[in-house]
Amino acid sequence: MKDTQLHELLQQMTTNEKAEQMSQVVSMLVQSHSETGKITGPIAAMDVAKEDMSKSGSILGASGAKTLKQIQKNYMERHRLNIPLLFMADVIHGYKTVFPVPLALGCSWDLSAVEKSAEIAAKEASAAGLHVTFSPMADLVRDPRWGRVMESTGEDPYLNSEFARAFVRGYQGEDLEQDTDRIAACVKHFAAYGASEGGRDYNTVDMSERQLREYYMPAYEAALEEGAEMVMTAFNTVDGIPATSNRHLMRTVLRNELKFNGVLISDWGAVQETVPHGVAANNREAALKSALAGVDIDMMTPCYKQHLTSLVDSGELSEAVLDEAVLRILQLKQKLGLFDHPYRGADEKREEQLILSDEHRTKARELAAKSSVLLKNDGVLPLNTTQRVALIGPFTDSTDLLGRWAIFGEPADVVTLKTGLTKQLTAVETAAGCDIESITDAQISEARKTADNADVIILALGEPSELSGEAGSKTDIRLSEAQMHLVRSMRELNKPIITILFNGRPLDLRGILDESDAIIEAWFPGTEGGHAVADLLTGAANPSGKLTMSFPYTVGQIPVYYNAFKTGRPKEDLDPNDRYASKYMDAPNEPLFPFGFGLSYSEFTYGDARLSSNDLQPGGSLELSVDVKNTSGITGEETVQMYIRDLVGEVVRPVLELKGFEKIRLEPGEAKIVTFSIHEDLLKYHHHDLAYKADSGDFIASVGTDSQTLQHLRFSYKTHSSVTETVLEERYT
């Protein structure tokens, strides 16, 4: 169908039919059938079930080729203009073959592998009849109390941007219409949802526009530059206005500045939630304000369906607003080829062939190993396969390894840690030791008896998936007292302890770190988690993951992140005994584990870093190089990280900013020269007036293995006018 035909189709639609295209509900509200779809938000509170939503233009949560083909057929037969449905769902980190949660994927620092995971997710989802995924989540996160940190790739705007691009490329490919193995990406949550106050979901966000643009916007913008077809609004406020009804944010910033002309959809119920937010008196006003803000699709509320027609009839809302929204929706359906092929991609036979195929499982296993982070190793890893192992803990044989947002993943398909280990070790005995939140004397007794016969104890600990994800906010991010008691009890046996952590957020690991000889942060590793962790334990895989979100020493430090500002009284510049410094009296300022940290079984040695010049000229570049050598007998991968610091800015600049990285593979004894190019664009930042530019002055370029283990080199950059000259010019003009 050509654009002219879309415009003709639009002209044939009634105002009510346009309102229906702009509404989205779960499948059971469009067609009565046994499959209700996955429910990922409230229904009763929205009153959406009381309205006739059967002709809504898109549905979410349903899947399966046979089911969706039947829904599409029935829908088009009763739709006057035969406009096809859009099928959308939360395919966040895999469809049926579930990969590690996005926070873990970020820790792989492997863009090509993450792009491949999104491609595999798209293949499976498309064969199951889906057209759109609500991914990637590009929210920058700094507060592990917020359960949804598991959906982000971390605390750094540059790294999040690179991963957002990789996800979009993997989902969408190069031609959505021709490549039916791909699905459209919807970047979320616009904007700054990761900054919810107190780490509490759906809560207020309050920040300066400069901070918003400097740290929170880059990853969204990167996803849009990569061609993401959709954007989802955030639940939070931005500058005192809920994002979903924020005209400045959506019209001025998203549409005009970022040039986004795709479909903008609300998050679940967010249009109606402008009423309890206090910016709309009722559903009618909520519909009006959200439509004026440019929200094209109202997800899971009756606001648009109930009120858009009467708002147009009364003259309060121009029908042109509906026309531009509906045209964008029709254009997306056209881009997906749905007018010519309404059953696009849905194929029962292909679904059966693709889903959980050996190839997909192999990729999931490899990426789960790459995403895990070795936090500590006092020489006990890797294991010898002949060692007698006691595998103890509530995650010993648990299938709860998928994470909260793997809504289509099946526990029955999960490889547990017990299964993975028993395939690789000759002697494994298991005991529960405790439950997630409780422990009994009998469990301790059984665990001790099991451990008595072992050479080494592996503790499988963590948080259940229900304690993270959406609505999974917590004030206490330690493991339960039951699990802590188990650790202390096992320590009394004076045997090596290896702790495996399964969780969706950074944790307070005091009491775990000191009592463990080795710790692997496995996150929620997905379908092949048990195999992947066993590979790491035995040395079949060499740990290479590095943290993309700092682990706090204690919850009282939060938010704690590597790219913070230096204060006027920095602790490190003053006498340690000086009370009047920016510091805690009962804890260090630094996190327990910093951004970029992660160990390996290999040993990597960095030579002296060097700059090609100490002066960077406008329009030019200089090179930062370092020799990295594998001085061990084990092949391994190392992520070399490059940071820059602006020593004097017009506004305060962070102590470090990641500006480049390269993941290299080195054989035993092999060395490589890693080189980064530094140019003016890497020095730019948003000034007080939001101008995005670089200043003259001195900078520090740093390179190393993590954000705390670095070599520092100084260089200068001079623009045509310095910061001082610019300030004086502004002052006296």
Side-chain angles (χ1 to χ4, degrees):
M1 183 174 286
K2 300 178 181 179
D3 283 345
T4 54
Q5 293 174 298
L6 291 183
H7 284 277
E8 291 172 1
L9 180 61
L10 183 63
Q11 295 304 312
Q12 297 176 51
M13 297 174 68
T14 66
T15 308
N16 188 57
E17 286 172 335
K18 294 172 186 177
E20 289 172 334
Q21 285 295 308
M22 295 172 65
S23 300
Q24 180 178 94
V25 292
V26 292
S27 58
M28 66 180 181
L29 299 180
V30 170
Q31 174 175 308
S32 298
H33 57 89
S34 58
E35 295 288 335
T36 60
K38 302 294 183 179
I39 305 301
T40 58
I43 291 182
M46 298 300 170
D47 290 330
V48 69
K50 298 178 182 178
E51 183 75 19
D52 178 11
M53 307 295 288
S54 63
K55 292 184 180 178
S56 297
S58 61
I59 66 172
L60 77 158
S63 69
K66 182 178 180 180
T67 296
L68 297 194
K69 283 162 70 174
Q70 188 62 51
I71 294 175
Q72 186 75 284
K73 179 178 183 294
N74 294 344
Y75 177 86
M76 292 184 69
E77 285 176 351
R78 68 175 184 270
H79 196 285
R80 184 177 69 89
L81 298 173
N82 299 115
I83 298 175
L85 272 168
L86 270 173
F87 296 117
M88 308 187 193
D90 291 282
V91 183
I92 307 300
H93 50 104
Y95 179 65
K96 291 290 188 179
T97 304
V98 179
F99 289 84
V101 295
L103 186 58
L105 292 176
C107 294
S108 74
W109 294 66
D110 192 325
L111 299 175
S112 61
V114 169
E115 180 178 338
K116 185 65 178 180
S117 76
E119 179 185 341
I120 288 172
K123 282 184 178 180
E124 292 192 357
S126 179
L130 292 171
H131 306 140
V132 176
T133 174
F134 299 130
S135 176
M137 181 176 125
D139 299 326
L140 182 135
V141 292
R142 291 173 169 174
D143 192 334
R145 294 173 299 180
W146 191 47
R148 299 193 78 164
V149 300
M150 60 162 283
E151 294 178 63
S152 171
T153 49
E155 68 186 44
D156 181 74
Y158 170 78
L159 193 60
N160 283 0
S161 297
E162 293 301 299
F163 277 114
R165 293 181 187 276
F167 275 113
V168 174
R169 288 194 301 268
Y171 290 134
Q172 294 190 172
E174 296 181 358
D175 190 332
L176 271 177
E177 184 171 2
Q178 297 300 319
D179 190 351
T180 57
D181 279 344
R182 305 293 181 137
I183 56 179
C186 176
V187 63
K188 62 184 186 183
H189 304 85
F190 198 78
Y193 190 28
S196 295
E197 286 186 358
R200 197 174 83 232
D201 218 347
Y202 318 115
N203 201 17
T204 297
V205 169
D206 190 12
M207 65 174 65
S208 69
E209 188 165 357
R210 201 195 69 79
Q211 185 180 18
L212 174 69
R213 291 174 179 269
E214 187 77 4
Y215 302 105
Y216 290 86
M217 295 288 285
Y220 306 126
E221 187 171 1
L224 297 182
E225 288 175 351
E226 207 62 44
E229 294 289 348
M230 291 184 62
V231 171
M232 180 183 289
T233 69
F235 286 118
N236 54 275
T237 57
V238 176
D239 196 24
I241 302 173
T244 307
S245 60
N246 193 315
R247 294 180 70 174
H248 171 74
L249 183 65
M250 299 306 174
R251 294 283 188 183
T252 303
V253 178
L254 180 63
R255 297 292 191 193
N256 295 341
E257 293 183 22
L258 301 185
K259 309 301 182 185
F260 177 65
N261 196 36
V263 175
L264 179 62
I265 186 171
S266 80
D267 207 336
W268 184 298
V271 170
Q272 189 167 318
E273 288 172 16
T274 60
V275 177
H277 265 299
V279 298
N282 47 47
N283 285 2
R284 180 183 176 85
E285 189 175 359
L288 175 62
K289 288 193 169 184
S290 297
L292 289 173
V295 176
D296 301 318
I297 299 179
D298 172 13
M299 183 195 294
M300 282 303 293
T301 92
C303 294
Y304 276 11
K305 177 63 169 62
Q306 288 178 342
H307 300 294
L308 287 184
T309 298
S310 64
L311 285 166
V312 170
D313 291 343
S314 67
E316 296 168 80
L317 182 66
S318 169
E319 190 157 4
V321 174
L322 274 63
D323 288 347
E324 67 171 358
V326 175
L327 183 60
R328 283 192 285 260
I329 296 167
L330 296 178
Q331 287 171 335
L332 178 57
K333 293 182 179 185
Q334 176 194 41
K335 190 171 290 189
L336 288 162
L338 293 178
F339 287 102
D340 296 324
H341 304 286
Y343 307 126
R344 175 194 191 274
D347 186 323
E348 293 94 323
K349 289 184 179 180
R350 185 159 175 76
E351 187 179 22
E352 185 176 350
Q353 292 170 351
L354 285 173
I355 286 175
L356 292 165
S357 67
D358 290 344
E359 178 190 353
H360 293 182
R361 278 188 173 273
T362 297
K363 292 297 183 182
R365 180 174 181 167
E366 292 172 355
L367 196 40
K370 284 177 175 283
S371 300
S372 298
V373 183
L374 180 62
L375 296 177
K376 181 178 181 180
N377 184 20
D378 287 345
V380 298
L381 288 174
L383 296 172
N384 186 310
T385 56
T386 61
Q387 284 179 286
R388 295 171 298 172
V389 169
L391 177 58
I392 298 168
F395 281 89
T396 290
D397 201 26
S398 174
T399 59
D400 188 14
L401 306 185
L402 299 180
R404 184 68 174 171
W405 270 112
I407 63 174
F408 299 110
E410 300 292 344
D413 298 323
V414 172
V415 178
T416 70
L417 182 54
K418 177 182 177 180
T419 298
L421 270 182
T422 53
K423 288 183 178 180
Q424 298 195 40
L425 300 178
T426 57
V428 179
E429 293 189 35
T430 65
C434 68
D435 297 318
I436 295 290
E437 298 285 348
S438 63
I439 191 168
T440 66
D441 291 342
Q443 287 174 318
I444 286 291
S445 178
E446 180 191 16
R448 283 177 169 271
K449 183 178 179 180
T450 302
D452 281 340
N453 300 320
D455 300 317
V456 62
I457 300 168
I458 298 176
L459 296 179
L461 310 176
E463 291 187 334
S465 58
E466 65 181 13
L467 293 187
S468 60
E470 185 170 352
S473 302
K474 294 183 65 183
T475 60
D476 187 345
I477 56 172
R478 297 171 295 177
L479 292 183
S480 68
E481 178 54 34
Q483 295 184 66
M484 300 293 288
H485 182 64
L486 175 64
V487 173
R488 292 191 294 267
S489 179
M490 293 298 100
R491 183 80 275 177
E492 293 172 359
L493 300 179
N494 294 317
K495 296 190 176 187
I497 292 178
I498 301 164
T499 297
I500 312 297
L501 296 170
F502 298 101
N503 47 283
R505 57 159 56 84
L507 298 172
D508 176 345
L509 294 180
R510 290 175 300 160
I512 301 292
L513 180 63
D514 293 343
E515 305 293 351
S516 303
D517 298 285
I519 299 176
I520 293 177
E521 174 55 82
W523 307 105
F524 289 115
T527 305
E528 287 288 314
H531 280 149
V533 175
D535 289 341
L536 293 168
L537 289 169
T538 62
N542 190 351
S544 64
K546 290 179 179 284
L547 298 177
T548 58
M549 192 173 182
S550 304
F551 272 50
Y553 178 85
T554 174
V555 72
Q557 293 176 310
I558 294 171
V560 58
Y561 48 94
Y562 88 93
N563 50 352
F565 293 156
K566 200 170 184 177
T567 74
R569 293 187 181 181
K571 181 189 74 170
E572 58 272 18
D573 291 357
L574 301 175
D575 188 296
N577 297 316
D578 193 333
R579 175 185 179 91
Y580 299 102
S582 179
K583 63 182 179 180
Y584 296 107
M585 300 181 70
D586 58 348
N589 287 2
E590 297 74 27
L592 185 64
F593 292 109
F595 176 86
F597 177 83
L599 304 175
S600 170
Y601 298 150
S602 304
E603 297 283 342
F604 299 104
T605 301
Y606 283 66
D608 291 337
R610 52 202 178 272
L611 286 170
S612 59
S613 171
N614 293 324
D615 294 300
L616 176 63
Q617 300 298 321
S621 65
L622 55 84
E623 293 183 342
L624 170 62
S625 300
V626 66
D627 300 303
V628 183
K629 184 176 183 179
N630 182 351
T631 55
S632 72
I634 303 172
T635 300
E637 292 183 312
E638 167 70 346
T639 300
V640 185
Q641 302 160 40
M642 191 267 286
Y643 299 83
I644 290 179
R645 180 181 178 189
D646 187 345
L647 290 174
V648 178
E650 188 222 31
V651 298
V652 177
R653 306 299 299 130
V655 295
L656 282 175
E657 291 184 284
L658 181 72
K659 293 296 182 179
F661 65 93
E662 185 174 342
K663 191 164 189 174
I664 58 174
R665 180 180 178 86
L666 296 176
E667 301 295 328
E670 183 182 6
K672 285 185 178 179
I673 300 174
V674 179
T675 301
F676 299 99
S677 179
I678 299 174
H679 46 82
E680 181 184 7
D681 284 348
L682 299 188
L683 312 183
K684 291 179 178 179
Y685 66 95
H686 290 87
H687 288 57
H688 79 285
D689 59 356
L690 303 183
Y692 187 64
K693 60 185 179 180
D695 295 328
S696 295
D698 291 335
F699 297 80
I700 299 291
S702 305
V703 65
T705 187
D706 63 58
S707 62
Q708 288 185 357
T709 310
L710 297 165
Q711 298 181 56
H712 307 288
L713 298 170
R714 191 173 182 129
F715 70 93
S716 297
Y717 173 73
K718 183 172 177 60
T719 62
H720 298 297
S721 61
S722 69
V723 176
T724 304
E725 291 168 346
T726 301
V727 171
L728 289 173
E729 181 180 318
E730 291 175 350
R731 182 176 299 170
Y732 295 108
T733 298

